[in-house]
Amino acid sequence: MTFRFDYDYRTNDYKLVRLVHNSTSKCSDVDVYALGLNLWKSTQSIPYYLYQGSCCGAFFKGGLHWLAATLEQGSIKLICFNVANEIFQEVALPEEPMPYLEEPLEENMFGILVREFGGCLCLFFHVFNVRVDIWMMQEYGVKESWAKSFSIAQESILTSSTYSCLIWNFKNNESLWEVDEDLILHDPNNKIYRKLVLDSDFAECVTVTENSMASLSLN
């Protein structure tokens, strides 16, 4: 079961979206709760289940985006739920990284996340202990606009890591990463990776701004 809470600009209301996988029908049932109406309604069933690790998804261009798999084919899809009209549709994925996904899905080999970053919809494709590829959809909805922004293949950021996600890109080309439960600052110019320590306990979700960097200290 997955929940997401987001804003519907058309009705000026907040909506809670719930996806429940139905093993009998091999679909996921979609329910929407409108806060202003104080009402639950069942909208549809979709022939997907959310890919493990994709439950948070990304809110972009008025839609909730998740990585999902089809039960019959086992292939990965990028799906979008338009919060305003409450309709699902598929969003085209880039062609190049998908050959990895044509093999049987083995969760201990790779991970894939969808996020909003730098004003674009992005994919973080992590082949464990090998590399992380960052893909950006430069023109939303256009398959040919997917471009690989850069890759990370540094052993210190990949070894024993099962989760890597870019949090912030700085003007000097340094980037801040969440790696498992650590924050890693990457300096590509000097090829240096530094582990950062927060003044307080690390939370599950981190929001970083330029001003908040003052609260970080190098380990």
Side-chain angles (χ1 to χ4, degrees), residues 70-88:
T70 56
L71 289 173
E72 294 183 356
Q73 298 177 351
S75 57
I76 297 295
K77 304 289 184 181
L78 178 56
I79 61 174
C80 171
F81 179 76
N82 188 296
V83 176
N85 59 30
E86 300 178 2
I87 294 176
F88 270 93

Side-chain angles (χ1 to χ4, degrees), residues 45-182:
S45 292
I46 55 174
Y48 311 101
Y49 65 95
L50 295 190
Y51 180 68
Q52 184 171 353
S54 181
C55 293
C56 291
F59 184 75
F60 188 71
K61 296 288 187 181
L64 298 170
H65 295 76
W66 288 285
L67 289 161
T70 56
L71 289 173
E72 294 183 356
Q73 298 177 351
S75 57
I76 297 295
K77 304 289 184 181
L78 178 56
I79 61 174
C80 171
F81 179 76
N82 188 296
V83 176
N85 59 30
E86 300 178 2
I87 294 176
F88 270 93
Q89 62 182 18
E90 290 188 12
V91 178
L93 286 167
E95 294 181 356
E96 186 173 332
M98 293 303 106
Y100 290 98
L101 304 182
E102 292 177 356
E103 302 298 328
L105 300 181
E106 297 185 31
E107 296 173 1
N108 62 338
M109 293 179 60
F110 67 88
I112 183 169
L113 299 171
V114 58
R115 294 288 187 270
E116 185 276 332
F117 185 78
C120 295
L121 196 65
C122 295
L123 289 174
F124 294 81
F125 191 84
H126 183 183
V127 183
F128 298 151
N129 298 320
V130 179
R131 73 178 189 277
V132 179
D133 294 334
I134 295 84
W135 286 75
M136 303 182 74
M137 194 179 213
Q138 299 171 342
E139 185 177 352
Y140 182 73
V142 179
K143 182 176 184 177
E144 292 75 18
S145 73
W146 281 109
K148 188 187 295 184
S149 179
F150 58 94
S151 297
I152 295 289
Q154 175 70 26
E155 182 178 355
S156 60
I157 202 172
L158 296 175
T159 302
S160 301
S161 170
T162 58
Y163 175 86
S164 299
C165 190
L166 182 63
I167 296 177
W168 195 266
N169 240 348
F170 299 94
K171 293 181 180 179
N172 61 358
N173 293 326
E174 290 187 350
S175 56
L176 183 66
W177 291 76
E178 180 185 352
V179 181
D180 292 334
E181 296 185 354
D182 293 322

